[in-house]
Amino acid sequence: ALAVTIDTSTPDAPTTPDLFSGSDTGSSSDDDNTSDTTPTIAGTAEANSTVNLTSDIDGLVATTTTDGSGNWSIATSALADGVHALTATATDSVDNISVASAALAVTIDTTNPAAPGTPDLDAASDTGSADDDDLTNSNTPTISGTAETGSTVTLSSSIDGTVGTATADGTTGTWTITAGTLGDGTHDLTTTATDAAGNTGIASAALAVTVDTTAPDAPSAPDLSAASDSGTADNDDLTNDTTPTVSGTAEAGSTVTLTSSIDGELGTATADGTTGIWVITASTLGDGTHDLTTTATDAAGNTGIDSAALAVT
């Protein structure tokens, strides 16, 4: 006798295909975003059937056979950039073909984001003499800029490496990062943008930020100029001049503030950039004995301790 098997039943539709986590290069392993153009796709179908995987963009992209439990897995042929609806069909041993599975939407993106804009030190973090001189005494300054919308921005220092990340706004692309602790020195700060598929672009141009958290040394004790000392000797610190000239030395280039124990702040000057010498003609002093002291403030806004006092009558 000849035994003939008649099979007119089509296999059940395969399960929805699944992007293998190792092929998912997005921000999570299950977001179906990838920069891999030949990703691995898996699923289940009738045991020992032939599975055809199809893209709505590229057509047939893979064929494989399920195992005895119905499992299958295969790397696709090269997929073009775009959002692919991937479906699977199962064909049994007598060529009955199932209906297509539900679709898996996979985004293929192999294009790197453009370089972000040059980072910028926020004015509130710039403690220098101007709010755009990129000098700061904050070792965790706030940095901002723009990048591809929705991308992950990584901020890096030429001294300290990666110092922060943020997500660029989905509409404007703006981002803000409060940096991790930066050491004293001049940092070249750059950023890169990583898109949802895991593509990382080239680095931005660098922002040179000088971090200085060290206060200047105390200035020398102020000295009443001989021309302002009207006492019996030109160094007895007695004067009838209510706006005397006072001088001294401090950190080169620093801003020196002269203060009276009676009248408060009397004047400021910039210490010579080489010698540190400064000269101030005081504002009007009232009669009495004034303890005159100075402080030095450096370019980054750090103020040191008071000098020793000069007692002027």
Side-chain angles (χ1 to χ4, degrees), residues 50 96-97 102 116 160 197 205 288 307 310 312:
T50 298
N96 295 300
I97 302 174
D160 293 319
S307 69
L310 166 70
V312 171

Side-chain angles (χ1 to χ4, degrees), residues 117-123 131-132 134 142-145 175 189 207 209:
T118 306
D120 185 53
L121 178 65
D122 277 14
D131 63 8
D132 60 357
D134 299 325
T142 299
I143 311 294
S144 59
W175 57 267
L189 299 180
L207 167 70
V209 171

Side-chain angles (χ1 to χ4, degrees), residues 82-174:
V83 179
H84 295 252
L86 298 180
T87 56
T89 58
T91 303
D92 65 18
S93 60
V94 293
D95 292 335
N96 295 300
I97 302 174
S98 73
V99 298
S101 68
L104 166 70
V106 171
T107 300
I108 305 294
D109 178 1
T110 61
T111 303
N112 291 334
T118 306
D120 185 53
L121 178 65
D122 277 14
S125 288
D126 192 317
T127 59
S129 55
D131 63 8
D132 60 357
D133 59 9
D134 299 325
L135 296 171
T136 184
N137 59 22
S138 170
N139 59 11
T140 57
T142 299
I143 311 294
S144 59
T146 58
E148 180 177 297
T149 58
S151 64
T152 299
V153 176
T154 300
L155 178 67
S156 298
S157 157
S158 56
I159 296 175
D160 293 319
T162 299
V163 293
T165 60
T167 300
D169 183 85
T171 302
T172 64
T174 56

